[in-house]
Amino acid sequence: MVRKRYQEAKTGFQLLKSIDADKYLKKIGLGKEDHYFWKQVGKALLCTYTLFGVAWLYNETSPLGWWTLKPRPKEERELAHLYERREFPYPGDAEAMEEFVAKGGMIGTTIGPKGIIETDKDSVNYQKEMQNKKFEQEAMKLWLRMRNEVVSELQEKGYDVE
């Protein structure tokens, strides 16, 4: 008669020591012979993310447009402060809120006498206002140029014009 031998049940630290981790790691591609490969992958990822980070930082702080070598137009530079990130005060800090409102508060909103926020300046009206302002500037330039031409012609003919 053959006597069956039972394996002792391992628990705790004995069980932990008996598990061959390298065998399982080797099966999923993380064995000792794969270390060089994963080291190269890590380096590639590090370089890639570094390049993306530098490009992102350059995009945030660049005087040029993104992917262009043309400088930003004068109008865009003048209006850049409207689109830059703003630091908003913590809502519980009354003194900082008062200072924030005194400096102009949120762009596009005005605080009425009763403290109600009135948002009458929407982006469409603002764009029309900017187009009108640009049109007026161009008209003024043209008017001054024409005026200067007439004055110079009259001065050439001998008239005293100021």
Side-chain angles (χ1 to χ4, degrees), residues 86-90 93-107 109 111:
R86 296 184 56 129
E87 295 294 326
F88 294 99
Y90 186 73
D93 191 359
E95 184 179 325
M97 284 297 283
E98 287 175 13
E99 183 180 332
F100 177 70
V101 170
K103 285 184 178 177
M106 292 175 56
I107 294 177
T109 63
I111 305 228

Side-chain angles (χ1 to χ4, degrees), residues 79-124:
L79 298 175
H81 69 282
L82 297 175
Y83 301 103
E84 289 174 358
R85 294 192 176 123
R86 296 184 56 129
E87 295 294 326
F88 294 99
Y90 186 73
D93 191 359
E95 184 179 325
M97 284 297 283
E98 287 175 13
E99 183 180 332
F100 177 70
V101 170
K103 285 184 178 177
M106 292 175 56
I107 294 177
T109 63
T110 54
I111 305 228
K114 295 181 181 177
I116 301 169
I117 297 176
E118 302 161 359
T119 55
D120 57 344
K121 292 185 179 180
D122 59 344
S123 60
V124 176

Side-chain angles (χ1 to χ4, degrees), residues 35-67:
H35 285 191
Y36 180 73
F37 169 75
W38 289 111
K39 182 179 175 184
Q40 295 299 97
V41 168
K43 285 182 190 176
L45 287 173
L46 181 67
C47 292
T48 303
Y49 284 121
T50 302
L51 287 174
F52 279 128
V54 167
W56 175 77
L57 182 68
Y58 182 74
N59 185 24
E60 291 289 314
T61 59
S62 157
L64 307 172
W66 182 239
W67 294 118

Side-chain angles (χ1 to χ4, degrees), residues 1 4 31-32 50 52 69 73 95 101-102 108 118 137-138:
M1 181 162 150
K4 247 186 180 179
K32 290 189 192 265
T50 302
F52 279 128
L69 293 176
E95 184 179 325
V101 170
E118 302 161 359
Q137 287 176 344
E138 292 296 322

